[in-house]
Amino acid sequence: MNTTQQEIVNKTAQFIEDKFQGEGTGHDWHHIYRVWKSAENIAKTEDCDPYIVSLAALLHDIADHKFYDGDLLEGSRQATQLLTDLGADEDTISKVADIVKRVSFKGAKVKDEMPSIEGKVVQDADRLDAIGAIGIARAFAYGGSKHRLLYDPEENYEMHDTFDAYHKNESSTIAHFYEKLLLLKDRMHTNTAKRVAEQRHRVMEDFLQQFYGEWEGKK
């Protein structure tokens, strides 16, 4: 990155840190920071533009659809406005906004549509932070913020085939593992993310086994 690009990345990071400091649903500044750094590391192993990767990672949750009534475009609108204000060029703004629009998981049976390698890197980094030990913690933080049950033994898990159905879903946090988190390992794009995801996936499997044992008073 040249000096101007680095300045825009730094100002974007400061804006996002200020905006999300203290957020309590698992979508806070620390989540975004981890995704940013993970994306930078993955980018080193891929033929991609690190400038686009850094900006898209920092802005991927600027307006998450979960907090904007399912609006998948609000994030790209806010990202576009911020980068315009910071003086980024139109090509950069267009590429970053497109990634922000596409990055979210939209349902178990909804195919990913992420054409750029930069987008794949950022999506992988975001999904890595949704699994493993931190992913487990984030899932329960978000579920608690939405007053969702920890677990309902009589609940049927649903593999949503549309984003609308996924967005309106109000299942328990344990159901969320089956409806999203346990599916992410096989939806990674890059070899680096696939390797990391294997280990983090096992952490979730071990957790669930322990959870069910404790639920029945057996462990």
Side-chain angles (χ1 to χ4, degrees), residues 102-119:
R102 298 174 185 271
V103 72
S104 294
F105 181 85
K106 299 176 179 66
K109 295 183 179 180
V110 181
K111 291 184 178 180
D112 295 319
E113 294 182 355
M114 186 64 81
S116 71
I117 183 58
E118 291 81 10

PDB file of all heavy atoms in Angstrom, residues 102-119:
ATOM      1  N   ARG A 102     -22.029  -8.552   0.016  1.00  0.00           N
ATOM      2  CA  ARG A 102     -22.112  -9.997  -0.193  1.00  0.00           C
ATOM      3  C   ARG A 102     -21.614 -10.844   0.977  1.00  0.00           C
ATOM      4  O   ARG A 102     -21.843 -12.048   1.011  1.00  0.00           O
ATOM      5  CB  ARG A 102     -21.277 -10.385  -1.428  1.00  0.00           C
ATOM      6  CG  ARG A 102     -21.740  -9.766  -2.729  1.00  0.00           C
ATOM      7  CD  ARG A 102     -20.764 -10.098  -3.853  1.00  0.00           C
ATOM      8  NE  ARG A 102     -21.068  -9.452  -5.116  1.00  0.00           N
ATOM      9  CZ  ARG A 102     -21.865  -9.961  -6.050  1.00  0.00           C
ATOM     10  NH1 ARG A 102     -22.438 -11.135  -5.850  1.00  0.00           N
ATOM     11  NH2 ARG A 102     -22.085  -9.311  -7.168  1.00  0.00           N
ATOM     12  N   VAL A 103     -20.936 -10.259   1.937  1.00  0.00           N
ATOM     13  CA  VAL A 103     -20.134 -11.033   2.886  1.00  0.00           C
ATOM     14  C   VAL A 103     -20.946 -11.886   3.848  1.00  0.00           C
ATOM     15  O   VAL A 103     -20.501 -12.953   4.268  1.00  0.00           O
ATOM     16  CB  VAL A 103     -19.191 -10.088   3.672  1.00  0.00           C
ATOM     17  CG1 VAL A 103     -19.963  -9.231   4.676  1.00  0.00           C
ATOM     18  CG2 VAL A 103     -18.067 -10.868   4.339  1.00  0.00           C
ATOM     19  N   SER A 104     -22.155 -11.497   4.196  1.00  0.00           N
ATOM     20  CA  SER A 104     -22.919 -12.194   5.233  1.00  0.00           C
ATOM     21  C   SER A 104     -23.406 -13.575   4.796  1.00  0.00           C
ATOM     22  O   SER A 104     -23.745 -13.787   3.636  1.00  0.00           O
ATOM     23  CB  SER A 104     -24.130 -11.351   5.647  1.00  0.00           C
ATOM     24  OG  SER A 104     -23.730 -10.172   6.287  1.00  0.00           O
ATOM     25  N   PHE A 105     -23.484 -14.472   5.756  1.00  0.00           N
ATOM     26  CA  PHE A 105     -24.127 -15.774   5.576  1.00  0.00           C
ATOM     27  C   PHE A 105     -25.626 -15.521   5.432  1.00  0.00           C
ATOM     28  O   PHE A 105     -26.217 -14.765   6.197  1.00  0.00           O
ATOM     29  CB  PHE A 105     -23.850 -16.634   6.812  1.00  0.00           C
ATOM     30  CG  PHE A 105     -24.426 -18.015   6.755  1.00  0.00           C
ATOM     31  CD1 PHE A 105     -23.744 -19.049   6.141  1.00  0.00           C
ATOM     32  CD2 PHE A 105     -25.658 -18.290   7.343  1.00  0.00           C
ATOM     33  CE1 PHE A 105     -24.260 -20.348   6.116  1.00  0.00           C
ATOM     34  CE2 PHE A 105     -26.191 -19.572   7.321  1.00  0.00           C
ATOM     35  CZ  PHE A 105     -25.499 -20.600   6.699  1.00  0.00           C
ATOM     36  N   LYS A 106     -26.261 -16.175   4.466  1.00  0.00           N
ATOM     37  CA  LYS A 106     -27.656 -15.859   4.160  1.00  0.00           C
ATOM     38  C   LYS A 106     -28.593 -17.057   4.262  1.00  0.00           C
ATOM     39  O   LYS A 106     -29.751 -16.965   3.877  1.00  0.00           O
ATOM     40  CB  LYS A 106     -27.741 -15.235   2.764  1.00  0.00           C
ATOM     41  CG  LYS A 106     -26.961 -13.928   2.630  1.00  0.00           C
ATOM     42  CD  LYS A 106     -26.985 -13.394   1.210  1.00  0.00           C
ATOM     43  CE  LYS A 106     -26.220 -12.077   1.114  1.00  0.00           C
ATOM     44  NZ  LYS A 106     -24.769 -12.261   1.374  1.00  0.00           N
ATOM     45  N   GLY A 107     -28.087 -18.173   4.778  1.00  0.00           N
ATOM     46  CA  GLY A 107     -28.929 -19.355   4.917  1.00  0.00           C
ATOM     47  C   GLY A 107     -28.193 -20.601   4.474  1.00  0.00           C
ATOM     48  O   GLY A 107     -27.344 -20.548   3.572  1.00  0.00           O
ATOM     49  N   ALA A 108     -28.520 -21.725   5.094  1.00  0.00           N
ATOM     50  CA  ALA A 108     -27.805 -22.972   4.840  1.00  0.00           C
ATOM     51  C   ALA A 108     -27.845 -23.395   3.377  1.00  0.00           C
ATOM     52  O   ALA A 108     -26.882 -23.945   2.851  1.00  0.00           O
ATOM     53  CB  ALA A 108     -28.376 -24.081   5.718  1.00  0.00           C
ATOM     54  N   LYS A 109     -28.967 -23.155   2.712  1.00  0.00           N
ATOM     55  CA  LYS A 109     -29.129 -23.582   1.325  1.00  0.00           C
ATOM     56  C   LYS A 109     -28.979 -22.438   0.328  1.00  0.00           C
ATOM     57  O   LYS A 109     -29.261 -22.611  -0.859  1.00  0.00           O
ATOM     58  CB  LYS A 109     -30.480 -24.273   1.143  1.00  0.00           C
ATOM     59  CG  LYS A 109     -30.612 -25.576   1.923  1.00  0.00           C
ATOM     60  CD  LYS A 109     -31.945 -26.251   1.653  1.00  0.00           C
ATOM     61  CE  LYS A 109     -32.071 -27.561   2.409  1.00  0.00           C
ATOM     62  NZ  LYS A 109     -33.381 -28.221   2.152  1.00  0.00           N
ATOM     63  N   VAL A 110     -28.531 -21.288   0.806  1.00  0.00           N
ATOM     64  CA  VAL A 110     -28.312 -20.139  -0.072  1.00  0.00           C
ATOM     65  C   VAL A 110     -26.835 -20.116  -0.459  1.00  0.00           C
ATOM     66  O   VAL A 110     -25.959 -20.029   0.397  1.00  0.00           O
ATOM     67  CB  VAL A 110     -28.692 -18.818   0.622  1.00  0.00           C
ATOM     68  CG1 VAL A 110     -28.474 -17.646  -0.332  1.00  0.00           C
ATOM     69  CG2 VAL A 110     -30.140 -18.866   1.099  1.00  0.00           C
ATOM     70  N   LYS A 111     -26.552 -20.208  -1.740  1.00  0.00           N
ATOM     71  CA  LYS A 111     -25.173 -20.267  -2.212  1.00  0.00           C
ATOM     72  C   LYS A 111     -24.461 -18.932  -2.015  1.00  0.00           C
ATOM     73  O   LYS A 111     -25.055 -17.869  -2.143  1.00  0.00           O
ATOM     74  CB  LYS A 111     -25.138 -20.656  -3.697  1.00  0.00           C
ATOM     75  CG  LYS A 111     -25.565 -22.082  -3.977  1.00  0.00           C
ATOM     76  CD  LYS A 111     -25.417 -22.410  -5.460  1.00  0.00           C
ATOM     77  CE  LYS A 111     -25.800 -23.852  -5.748  1.00  0.00           C
ATOM     78  NZ  LYS A 111     -25.649 -24.184  -7.191  1.00  0.00           N
ATOM     79  N   ASP A 112     -23.172 -19.030  -1.712  1.00  0.00           N
ATOM     80  CA  ASP A 112     -22.354 -17.824  -1.625  1.00  0.00           C
ATOM     81  C   ASP A 112     -22.136 -17.254  -3.021  1.00  0.00           C
ATOM     82  O   ASP A 112     -21.880 -18.003  -3.969  1.00  0.00           O
ATOM     83  CB  ASP A 112     -20.990 -18.146  -1.007  1.00  0.00           C
ATOM     84  CG  ASP A 112     -21.101 -18.595   0.431  1.00  0.00           C
ATOM     85  OD1 ASP A 112     -21.905 -18.012   1.166  1.00  0.00           O
ATOM     86  OD2 ASP A 112     -20.365 -19.519   0.823  1.00  0.00           O
ATOM     87  N   GLU A 113     -22.242 -15.954  -3.123  1.00  0.00           N
ATOM     88  CA  GLU A 113     -21.947 -15.273  -4.386  1.00  0.00           C
ATOM     89  C   GLU A 113     -20.886 -14.218  -4.107  1.00  0.00           C
ATOM     90  O   GLU A 113     -21.202 -13.058  -3.831  1.00  0.00           O
ATOM     91  CB  GLU A 113     -23.217 -14.658  -4.969  1.00  0.00           C
ATOM     92  CG  GLU A 113     -24.255 -15.696  -5.392  1.00  0.00           C
ATOM     93  CD  GLU A 113     -25.489 -15.075  -6.025  1.00  0.00           C
ATOM     94  OE1 GLU A 113     -25.573 -13.826  -6.045  1.00  0.00           O
ATOM     95  OE2 GLU A 113     -26.356 -15.825  -6.493  1.00  0.00           O
ATOM     96  N   MET A 114     -19.633 -14.643  -4.140  1.00  0.00           N
ATOM     97  CA  MET A 114     -18.516 -13.753  -3.860  1.00  0.00           C
ATOM     98  C   MET A 114     -17.495 -13.896  -4.984  1.00  0.00           C
ATOM     99  O   MET A 114     -16.630 -14.773  -4.958  1.00  0.00           O
ATOM    100  CB  MET A 114     -17.897 -14.106  -2.508  1.00  0.00           C
ATOM    101  CG  MET A 114     -16.817 -13.151  -2.059  1.00  0.00           C
ATOM    102  SD  MET A 114     -17.417 -11.459  -1.774  1.00  0.00           S
ATOM    103  CE  MET A 114     -18.108 -11.619  -0.124  1.00  0.00           C
ATOM    104  N   PRO A 115     -17.594 -13.071  -6.006  1.00  0.00           N
ATOM    105  CA  PRO A 115     -16.761 -13.246  -7.198  1.00  0.00           C
ATOM    106  C   PRO A 115     -15.285 -12.892  -7.042  1.00  0.00           C
ATOM    107  O   PRO A 115     -14.438 -13.476  -7.714  1.00  0.00           O
ATOM    108  CB  PRO A 115     -17.435 -12.343  -8.236  1.00  0.00           C
ATOM    109  CG  PRO A 115     -18.158 -11.309  -7.428  1.00  0.00           C
ATOM    110  CD  PRO A 115     -18.609 -12.016  -6.182  1.00  0.00           C
ATOM    111  N   SER A 116     -14.951 -11.953  -6.168  1.00  0.00           N
ATOM    112  CA  SER A 116     -13.566 -11.495  -6.098  1.00  0.00           C
ATOM    113  C   SER A 116     -12.762 -12.281  -5.069  1.00  0.00           C
ATOM    114  O   SER A 116     -13.292 -12.730  -4.045  1.00  0.00           O
ATOM    115  CB  SER A 116     -13.511  -9.999  -5.744  1.00  0.00           C
ATOM    116  OG  SER A 116     -13.883  -9.783  -4.395  1.00  0.00           O
ATOM    117  N   ILE A 117     -11.476 -12.439  -5.311  1.00  0.00           N
ATOM    118  CA  ILE A 117     -10.611 -13.126  -4.361  1.00  0.00           C
ATOM    119  C   ILE A 117     -10.505 -12.316  -3.075  1.00  0.00           C
ATOM    120  O   ILE A 117     -10.432 -12.876  -1.972  1.00  0.00           O
ATOM    121  CB  ILE A 117      -9.207 -13.408  -4.965  1.00  0.00           C
ATOM    122  CG1 ILE A 117      -8.346 -14.188  -3.956  1.00  0.00           C
ATOM    123  CG2 ILE A 117      -8.523 -12.122  -5.398  1.00  0.00           C
ATOM    124  CD1 ILE A 117      -8.928 -15.501  -3.495  1.00  0.00           C
ATOM    125  N   GLU A 118     -10.518 -10.994  -3.186  1.00  0.00           N
ATOM    126  CA  GLU A 118     -10.484 -10.159  -1.982  1.00  0.00           C
ATOM    127  C   GLU A 118     -11.704 -10.431  -1.109  1.00  0.00           C
ATOM    128  O   GLU A 118     -11.610 -10.519   0.124  1.00  0.00           O
ATOM    129  CB  GLU A 118     -10.419  -8.674  -2.357  1.00  0.00           C
ATOM    130  CG  GLU A 118      -9.108  -8.234  -2.983  1.00  0.00           C
ATOM    131  CD  GLU A 118      -9.005  -8.557  -4.473  1.00  0.00           C
ATOM    132  OE1 GLU A 118     -10.023  -8.966  -5.085  1.00  0.00           O
ATOM    133  OE2 GLU A 118      -7.907  -8.385  -5.042  1.00  0.00           O
ATOM    134  N   GLY A 119     -12.863 -10.567  -1.757  1.00  0.00           N
ATOM    135  CA  GLY A 119     -14.086 -10.866  -1.023  1.00  0.00           C
ATOM    136  C   GLY A 119     -14.034 -12.226  -0.360  1.00  0.00           C
ATOM    137  O   GLY A 119     -14.487 -12.408   0.777  1.00  0.00           O
TER     138      GLY A 119
END
